[in-house]
Amino acid sequence: MAADDGLTRSERELARLLREAHSRVRVLPVPPEARRRLVKRLLAICGAAKHDLDRAATRLESFLIDLDDLVSDTRSAGNIAEGD
């Protein structure tokens, strides 16, 4: 029996996005303190999902946008201009 059995479509989608967010935070090249802040924020979203699915989805959407911004600001071999 899969963990997502018995969930509505929106609950399954939120669960999928939460798993994706956890994976992204885990591999993000940031200092430990920054990672702890991200994990705390993500855990708060997980907690909110138990009580208010719509609010959690909104918060997660904002979190993912912030993650995208953080990744684009992080220097890595993939986003450093040649010659830098």
Side-chain angles (χ1 to χ4, degrees):
M1 183 174 198
D4 290 349
D5 287 353
L7 299 178
T8 66
R9 178 183 229 168
S10 59
E11 289 169 333
R12 281 192 306 271
E13 180 62 11
L14 181 61
R16 184 188 69 76
L17 289 172
L18 284 168
R19 286 189 299 268
E20 177 185 319
H22 278 283
S23 295
R24 289 179 62 190
V25 167
R26 193 171 34 252
V27 298
L28 197 60
V30 295
E33 185 57 37
R35 185 178 320 283
R36 277 191 289 278
R37 283 193 305 272
L38 291 168
V39 168
K40 281 184 178 185
R41 186 172 167 198
L42 192 49
L43 289 174
I45 295 168
C46 290
K50 297 176 185 177
H51 306 287
D52 188 342
L53 194 66
D54 292 332
R55 174 122 172 89
T58 300
R59 290 176 66 186
L60 180 58
E61 182 179 334
S62 175
F63 179 80
L64 291 172
I65 290 169
D66 290 347
L67 257 187
D68 288 341
D69 290 343
L70 183 61
V71 168
S72 68
D73 290 343
T74 303
R75 292 177 60 90
S76 70
N79 63 6
I80 296 175
E82 199 172 315
D84 283 353

